[in-house]
Amino acid sequence: MALYLCFSIAEFNQLLDRCTELDRDLQKANKVIAKSKKTREVELLAQENESLSHKLQSQEDDFRLQNNTLLQELARLVEQNEQLEKNAAELTNGQPPSVEMDTELQAEVRRLQAENQVFRKNLAEAEAKFEQSVVELRERLRLVSMRIPRSLVRFLLFLYSNVG
């Protein structure tokens, strides 16, 4: 009976050691899983950051194109206005224009001036919208960047690449 008891204690100790070893392995596995989850979160934040950067660049490009288009249209209208003034001066040959011509020219000048004001207003609104979008996107980028220190991102990406 004593031999059986010694054998059972030895077997028990062996099982206890095995249990301890399995427990350590489980803890290691849980740490790897936690690192993997953090790495995935970092990747998602990096993707969001990249997406916001592309969106900001796209909006800046759109604004530049819109701004250039409005400036070209404004230049065209100014040129057209100058040409109309020149034509009016040539038609009158230095004489005061007739009341009818004067009224037509004044109406055209007023129309062009009103159109010019509308273009300037649209340009100012587009610039304000663009500036607000830039400010908002930069703030979002700053907030996303603040969530993850760069050294942590590099470290986690390094770990993730070595785990895989």
Side-chain angles (χ1 to χ4, degrees):
M1 177 89 166
L3 179 65
Y4 179 72
L5 187 58
C6 283
F7 181 71
S8 294
I9 290 173
E11 189 177 356
F12 175 75
N13 285 337
Q14 231 179 6
L15 289 174
L16 189 58
D17 289 344
R18 179 70 179 143
C19 184
T20 304
E21 183 182 327
L22 288 174
D23 191 39
R24 273 189 251 127
D25 288 346
L26 177 62
Q27 288 175 359
K28 286 179 184 177
N30 284 336
K31 285 180 183 178
V32 168
I33 289 171
K35 284 181 183 178
S36 176
K37 286 179 182 178
K38 287 179 183 177
T39 302
R40 182 66 187 143
E41 289 173 9
V42 167
E43 285 177 348
L44 289 174
L45 287 172
Q47 287 174 354
E48 182 182 0
N49 193 355
E50 180 88 13
S51 174
L52 289 172
S53 293
H54 287 301
K55 185 175 180 180
L56 176 62
Q57 183 64 41
S58 175
Q59 285 189 349
E60 285 177 347
D61 292 344
D62 289 347
F63 172 76
R64 281 188 201 96
L65 177 63
Q66 187 179 29
N67 191 27
N68 286 338
T69 303
L70 289 172
L71 289 174
Q72 288 171 355
E73 182 65 18
L74 180 62
R76 187 189 64 77
L77 289 173
V78 167
E79 185 180 318
Q80 186 179 14
N81 188 26
E82 290 171 352
Q83 185 63 40
L84 286 172
E85 287 175 355
K86 180 181 173 187
N87 289 347
E90 288 175 359
L91 287 174
T92 60
N93 283 332
Q95 300 173 357
S98 67
V99 173
E100 182 180 307
M101 182 183 283
D102 187 36
T103 305
E104 288 176 14
L105 285 175
Q106 287 178 357
E108 181 66 14
V109 167
R110 281 192 300 272
R111 184 190 71 75
L112 289 173
Q113 286 173 339
E115 195 173 334
N116 190 1
Q117 285 178 332
V118 168
F119 282 127
R120 286 177 189 232
K121 180 183 174 195
N122 288 343
L123 177 61
E125 288 173 0
E127 285 175 340
K129 249 188 230 180
F130 171 74
E131 289 300 323
Q132 181 61 33
S133 293
V134 167
V135 167
E136 289 172 3
L137 287 172
R138 283 191 177 139
E139 180 61 19
R140 286 180 66 190
L141 277 171
R142 186 185 68 75
L143 291 174
V144 166
S145 296
M146 284 176 47
R147 285 191 241 166
I148 308 170
R150 290 182 196 259
S151 58
L152 177 61
V153 170
R154 283 190 215 111
F155 176 71
L156 290 175
L157 289 175
F158 172 76
L159 286 177
Y160 182 75
S161 66
N162 288 335
V163 169

